């Protein structure tokens, strides 16, 4: 039986419920009256204290995704933009992945780290190598990392991960610092999640890959990741271990996208029902070419238009959840989808183990790479491009450092304090980037942008304080201000 508050994977991601949802969506995809009702329900509403959105159920959102009418698709895109604008404004948070080790005992058929791949050299960073990687990342201007690691209890035990996190946070090179470490490691125990919490991680990220159990088992034929229930219930264990912010994701291309979309939203509904807070982020990777991996063997690949529609529908269904897009996607594709609801992107990423230190920003090693990176620009180029396209690149990590995690972050959104909080924080951290790392052209563009955007801080007191912080960063060498 389908029960969103069940603790059993097969009950909260209920196969029959997904099939019924898909058939309901197919039957109603031309039901304009119902679609208009769904769009009205999802639209932002002004309240006494701010602005609120109700979001949509997986069934309602699946109807929007199924609808093929071009005019309605335009309305969907328009609403997604409106919601993004209401809660995230023009800010785009920047991060970079840091690959620790590609030793892995799993056999995920889409991943080059799979145990049987003899082509890929195996590598695990020492603490000294991590130091070098972090210095290289700090020298680019990064403040937020996502650590990535294969699953291998012998080579990459939890103590190794904890030691790496400790090393990363401890490095202060020039004005650099990594202020938030998000963690993307395999499903683990409550006890290990508690340890990650104590190590002060930001978000715990784990991609479901596919919600379709039968396909999941076929795509993960052996190794600990084969266990669908253990993997699917990982976020519940993470939350039980005290981690407030969890990040979901599907690897698009493996299964039918409409199935994955419904499963993803059911997972979000489950977290909300059981823990009182939905996912902090949703990632939407697509399968890429890699060592021993040919993406064309997966016959559920989606084109850019479908990808954009999925992003817009996720934005509408879960308005308070951040959405992440990586350098798996090209500049052109990122350009198309940023405004539809993306709140975080990676920049200047290396997906190889030890890919940053010792290489110039335009050189990239391929031997231990996890997948081909489509967007190969430097961080300065990405920051410049974002600002030229009307966005504010943000290096902010304030919420989690001020304890605004889980439902406390959602409340900030709901009472409309984002513009007095996230907006100035974005400007302050952008100023740090401009002063310490940017090229002269990026610096010029950024200074102009900050001056203009200062006017969009509603509270005069907050605006004044922001101005003061900006001056202290530029002229007094001070860093790390936040609201
Ligand atoms: N070992 C951890 C786990 O199993 O969740 C960490 C995962 S891995 C370093 C990060 C993610 O990369 C995977 O969850 C998967 O979705 C994605 N990935 C693997 N192979 C890929 C490929 N060929 N193209 C794009 N993404 C891929």
């Amino acid at each position: 039986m389908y029960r969103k508050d069940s603790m059993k994977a097969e009950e909260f991601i209920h196969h029959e419920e997904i099939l019924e949802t898909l058939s309901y969506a197919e039957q109603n995809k031309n039901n304009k009256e119902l679609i208009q009702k769904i769009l009205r329900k999802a639209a932002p509403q002004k309240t006494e204290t701010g602005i609120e959105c109700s979001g949509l159920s997986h069934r309602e959102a699946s109807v929007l995704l199924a609808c093929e009418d071009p005019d309605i698709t335009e309305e969907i895109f328009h609403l997604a933009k409106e919601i993004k604008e209401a809660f995230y404004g023009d800010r785009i948070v920047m991060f970079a992945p840091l690959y620790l080790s590609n030793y892995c005992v799993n056999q995920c058929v889409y991943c080059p780290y799979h145990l049987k791949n003899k082509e890929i050299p195996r590598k695990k960073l020492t603490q000294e190598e991590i130091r070098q990687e972090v210095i290289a990342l700090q020298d680019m201007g990064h403040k937020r990392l996502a650590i990535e690691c294969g699953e291998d209890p012998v080579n990459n035990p939890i103590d190794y991960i904890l030691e790496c996190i400790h090393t990363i946070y401890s490095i202060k090179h020039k004005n650099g610092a990594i202020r938030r470490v998000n963690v993307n490691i395999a499903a683990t125990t409550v006890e290990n999640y508690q340890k990650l919490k104590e190590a002060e991680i930001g978000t715990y990220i784990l991609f479901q890959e596919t919600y379709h159990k039968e396909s999941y088992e076929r795509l993960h034929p052996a190794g600990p990741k084969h266990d669908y229930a253990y993997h699917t219930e990982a976020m519940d264990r993470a939350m039980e271990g005290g981690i407030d912010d969890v990040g979901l994701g599907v690897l698009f291309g493996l299964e039918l996208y409409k199935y994955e979309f419904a499963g993803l939203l059911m997972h979000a509904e489950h977290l909300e029902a059981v823990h009182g807070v939905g996912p902090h982020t949703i990632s939407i990777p697509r399968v890429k070419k890699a060592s021993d991996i040919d993406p064309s063997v997966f016959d559920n690949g989606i084109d850019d238009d479908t990808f954009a529609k999925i992003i817009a529908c996720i934005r509408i269904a879960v308005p308070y959840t951040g959405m992440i897009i990586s350098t798996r996607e090209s500049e052109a594709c990122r350009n198309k989808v940023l405004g539809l609801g993306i709140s975080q992107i990676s920049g200047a990423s290396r997906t190889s183990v030890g890919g940053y230190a010792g290489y110039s920003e335009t050189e990239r090693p391929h031997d231990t790479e996890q997948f081909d990176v489509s967007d190969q620009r430097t961080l300065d180029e990405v920051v410049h491009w974002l600002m030229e396209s009307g966005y504010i690149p943000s290096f902010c990590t304030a919420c989690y450092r001020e304890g605004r995690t889980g439902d406390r972050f959602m409340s900030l959104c709901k009472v409309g304090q984002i513009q007095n909080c996230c907006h100035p924080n974005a400007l302050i951290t952008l100023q740090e980037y401009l002063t310490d790392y940017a090229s002269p052209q990026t610096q010029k563009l950024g200074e102009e942008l900050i001056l203009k955007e200062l006017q969009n801080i509603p509270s005069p007191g907050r605006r004044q304080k922001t101005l003061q912080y900006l001056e202290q960063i530029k002229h007094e060498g001070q860093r790390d201000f936040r609201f």
Side-chain angles (χ1 to χ4, degrees):
M1 195 185 55
Y2 171 51
R3 272 186 45 215
K4 66 177 169 187
D5 60 351
S6 165
M7 299 308 278
K8 287 200 183 121
E10 284 165 70
E11 290 182 354
F12 65 81
I13 304 296
H14 191 261
H15 180 61
E16 291 303 323
E17 170 60 22
I18 299 186
L19 296 185
E20 279 174 31
T21 298
L22 300 190
S23 123
Y24 172 79
E26 195 54 32
Q27 280 161 23
N28 285 292
K29 67 179 188 185
N30 296 319
N31 182 344
K32 292 201 171 154
E33 201 181 315
L34 175 69
I35 291 172
Q36 288 307 328
K37 199 170 141 205
I38 294 173
L39 288 171
R40 277 197 303 278
K41 176 183 170 192
Q45 307 291 336
K46 280 215 165 74
T47 65
E48 274 176 23
T49 47
I51 202 160
E52 278 194 26
C53 272
S54 68
L56 294 176
S57 68
H58 59 276
R59 282 209 177 200
E60 293 163 333
S62 292
V63 174
L64 295 188
L65 187 65
C67 171
E68 288 155 7
D69 181 304
D71 293 337
I72 296 180
T73 302
E74 263 322 298
E75 278 188 62
I76 291 173
F77 284 163
H78 184 81
L79 178 57
K81 283 183 185 154
E82 199 187 330
I83 294 174
K84 166 160 158 73
E85 185 55 36
F87 298 116
Y88 291 93
D90 293 328
R91 291 175 303 282
I92 300 283
V93 168
M94 306 301 305
F95 78 98
L98 173 59
Y99 282 74
L100 302 180
S101 163
N102 63 2
Y103 283 93
C104 194
V105 296
N106 285 313
Q107 292 188 25
C108 315
V109 301
Y110 48 82
C111 180
Y113 290 179
H114 71 84
L115 183 70
K116 291 191 172 158
N117 185 0
K118 302 293 174 215
E119 280 175 17
I120 198 165
R122 301 289 166 169
K123 190 168 175 190
K124 168 185 170 181
L125 297 181
T126 63
Q127 297 309 305
E128 180 48 34
E129 285 168 330
I130 288 178
R131 232 179 74 76
Q132 297 306 326
E133 290 286 276
V134 171
I135 288 174
L137 283 155
Q138 289 185 3
D139 278 346
M140 283 183 211
H142 278 295
K143 298 283 188 274
R144 175 189 290 242
L145 300 184
I147 56 173
E148 309 277 340
C149 198
E151 178 169 14
D152 184 329
V154 175
N155 286 297
N156 319 325
I158 191 73
D159 288 342
Y160 169 70
I161 306 286
L162 297 170
E163 194 184 359
C164 295
I165 297 169
H166 180 76
T167 302
I168 295 168
Y169 277 135
S170 72
I171 297 161
K172 302 281 178 290
H173 171 70
K174 299 185 182 161
N175 283 331
I178 298 302
R179 299 174 181 155
R180 177 174 179 136
V181 178
N182 296 335
V183 174
N184 182 6
I185 60 163
T188 185
T189 59
V190 173
E191 196 191 353
N192 286 346
Y193 288 123
Q194 278 163 348
K195 291 180 182 171
L196 289 170
K197 164 80 179 172
E198 280 159 25
E200 300 187 355
I201 68 161
T203 311
Y204 171 64
I205 300 165
L206 180 69
F207 299 160
Q208 178 64 28
E209 322 298 7
T210 173
Y211 282 97
H212 191 287
K213 183 169 184 257
E214 233 179 87
S215 303
Y216 181 95
E217 288 172 349
R218 190 173 33 80
L219 292 160
H220 306 94
K225 197 165 168 176
H226 176 72
D227 187 337
Y228 176 82
Y230 189 73
H231 187 81
T232 311
E233 292 159 12
M235 293 314 193
D236 295 306
R237 291 193 301 281
M239 287 189 153
E240 198 185 327
I243 295 175
D244 287 332
D245 290 343
V246 297
L248 304 181
V250 155
L251 186 54
F252 282 101
L254 302 180
E255 243 304 332
L256 293 172
Y257 73 88
K258 290 178 182 167
Y259 191 101
E260 303 295 21
F261 178 80
L264 187 61
L265 293 183
M266 283 163 79
H267 201 172
E269 286 164 18
H270 162 73
L271 295 177
E272 178 91 46
V274 174
H275 307 280
V277 56
H280 187 64
T281 54
I282 288 181
S283 299
I284 36 184
R286 290 193 278 189
V287 183
K288 298 279 301 182
K289 188 175 169 321
S291 153
D292 204 31
I293 305 296
D294 172 6
S296 67
V297 303
F298 303 103
D299 40 16
N300 294 305
I302 47 172
D303 60 28
D304 286 358
D305 289 340
T306 309
F307 189 57
K309 181 103 177 276
I310 292 171
I311 290 172
C313 290
I314 294 177
R315 176 70 304 129
I316 295 172
V318 283
Y320 302 111
T321 298
M323 233 190 300
I324 303 179
I325 193 165
S326 75
T327 52
R328 287 177 184 86
E329 302 302 336
S330 65
E331 173 181 346
C333 174
R334 288 170 135 205
N335 221 347
K336 186 179 166 116
V337 299
L338 272 183
L340 297 176
I342 301 298
S343 55
Q344 276 189 46
I345 65 169
S346 48
S349 302
R350 302 292 156 84
T351 66
S352 34
V353 182
Y356 296 103
Y359 298 97
S360 77
E361 277 211 65
T362 47
E363 264 179 302
R364 50 188 57 239
H366 293 290
D367 56 346
T368 62
E369 206 168 49
Q370 198 199 8
F371 49 80
D372 265 358
V373 167
S374 296
D375 187 339
Q376 305 204 349
R377 292 170 294 172
T378 65
L379 186 59
D380 188 78
E381 285 165 344
V382 174
V383 168
H384 193 277
W385 160 74
L386 282 174
M387 296 191 296
E388 259 188 337
S389 317
Y391 296 101
I392 308 170
S394 170
F395 292 85
C396 181
T397 53
C399 271
Y400 123 96
R401 294 164 79 220
E402 290 291 319
R404 291 190 294 260
T405 54
D407 54 353
R408 289 175 296 278
F409 167 74
M410 307 284 169
S411 340
L412 181 81
C413 285
K414 290 180 189 168
V415 297
Q417 276 310 307
I418 293 267
Q419 216 42 23
N420 275 322
C421 202
C422 303
H423 186 66
N425 282 335
L427 301 184
I428 291 166
T429 54
L430 176 61
Q431 183 63 62
E432 286 189 340
Y433 176 81
L434 298 177
T435 308
D436 289 335
Y437 308 105
S439 65
Q441 306 87 293
T442 302
Q443 199 165 19
K444 184 168 176 295
L445 189 61
E447 299 278 357
E448 289 163 7
L449 178 85
I450 291 176
L451 211 59
K452 185 169 81 107
E453 289 295 338
L454 266 172
Q455 308 315 316
N456 294 328
I457 304 175
S459 148
R462 219 7 102 86
R463 203 179 318 132
Q464 192 50 39
K465 196 78 190 157
T466 306
L467 195 59
Q468 182 192 326
Y469 288 162
L470 292 171
E471 290 303 308
Q472 286 172 288
I473 293 168
K474 281 197 280 193
H475 305 298
E476 295 169 26
Q478 296 202 45
R479 297 289 177 272
D480 204 11
F481 295 110
R482 61 179 180 268
F483 294 108

